[in-house]
């Protein structure tokens, strides 16, 4: 979305990868309305929930650029369900790291009938669809690509 408006955004895959603005790029405040800057901050806060640490710095810079929306604490995005265990919040980041570092993950899978099984999988992609996160991975038990729901 940003790149379509002329903002030079690029992404790096792999260990240490992330989402970046082209170095030395300056945003002209007069080109972006207050509503657009609030939408931009909301988008960055949503990305921040995926635990890209560099987004904290981006939010600080955005707050400095758009002084009228410098308070960006009006929204928090947390993908873990209410009443979840403390490690639930790190589940997304753990899967993301395994995906980026091409590591096999082990997890307990519960199917639609409630049967539990332990799985080994090679994560390929995270998808957020219809209010839930899914993992596309090569399941070693089934010897095929599968989609696993990872959020309640």
């Amino acid at each position: 979305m940003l790149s379509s408006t002329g903002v030079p955004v690029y992404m790096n895959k792999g260990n240490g990868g992330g989402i970046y603005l082209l170095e030395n790029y300056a945003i002209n405040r007069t080109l972006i309305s207050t509503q657009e800057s609030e939408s931009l901050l909301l988008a960055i806060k949503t990305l921040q929930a995926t635990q890209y640490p560099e987004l904290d710095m981006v939010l600080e810079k955005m707050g400095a650029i758009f002084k009228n929306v410098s308070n960006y604490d009006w929204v928090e995005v947390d993908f873990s369900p209410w009443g979840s265990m403390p490690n639930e919040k790190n589940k997304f980041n753990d899967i993301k790291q395994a995906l980026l570092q091409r590591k096999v993950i082990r997890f307990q899978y519960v199917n639609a009938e409630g049967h539990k099984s332990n799985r080994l999988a090679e994560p390929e992609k995270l998808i957020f669809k219809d209010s839930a996160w899914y993992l596309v991975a090569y399941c070693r038990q089934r010897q095929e690509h599968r989609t696993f729901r990872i959020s309640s």
Side-chain angles (χ1 to χ4, degrees):
M1 181 167 93
L2 284 176
S3 60
S4 66
T5 62
V7 177
V9 178
Y10 67 96
M11 295 173 44
N12 285 336
K13 290 184 178 182
N15 192 13
I19 303 168
Y20 304 94
L21 287 175
L22 191 62
E23 194 171 338
N24 299 323
Y25 176 75
I27 297 175
N28 184 341
R29 285 193 296 201
T30 61
L31 296 177
I32 298 177
S33 70
T34 300
Q35 184 178 4
E36 290 168 332
S37 63
E38 288 171 354
S39 296
L40 185 57
L41 288 170
L42 175 60
I44 292 172
K45 284 294 280 190
T46 303
L47 279 174
Q48 189 180 34
T50 64
Q51 299 185 13
Y52 277 104
E54 63 273 8
L55 289 176
D56 292 332
M57 185 173 38
V58 171
L59 279 170
E60 285 180 31
K61 289 179 180 180
M62 296 284 303
I65 292 170
F66 305 109
K67 292 177 178 41
N68 55 340
V69 289
S70 61
N71 182 2
Y72 52 81
D73 289 336
W74 60 273
V75 65
E76 178 179 336
V77 179
D78 182 352
F79 296 122
S80 60
W82 288 105
S84 60
M85 303 299 285
N87 67 341
E88 192 77 16
K89 201 166 190 169
N90 293 327
K91 179 170 39 176
F92 181 89
N93 192 44
D94 292 344
I95 293 171
K96 178 187 80 173
Q97 289 303 320
L99 197 151
L100 294 173
Q101 297 170 8
R102 302 196 183 285
K103 292 184 178 179
V104 174
I105 59 172
R106 178 186 308 271
F107 58 94
Q108 187 174 68
Y109 173 68
V110 181
N111 69 12
E113 290 81 37
H115 298 115
K116 296 178 182 179
S117 62
N118 291 315
R119 299 292 177 101
L120 284 174
E122 301 167 22
E124 296 174 357
K125 184 190 302 187
L126 284 166
I127 300 171
F128 186 76
K129 184 174 177 113
D130 193 28
S131 304
W133 280 101
Y134 297 87
L135 171 67
V136 176
Y138 181 78
C139 178
R140 290 189 171 179
Q141 279 78 354
R142 301 280 187 194
Q143 297 290 301
E144 63 185 7
H145 289 86
R146 304 287 301 263
T147 301
F148 301 97
R149 184 174 174 152
I150 60 171
S151 58
S152 303

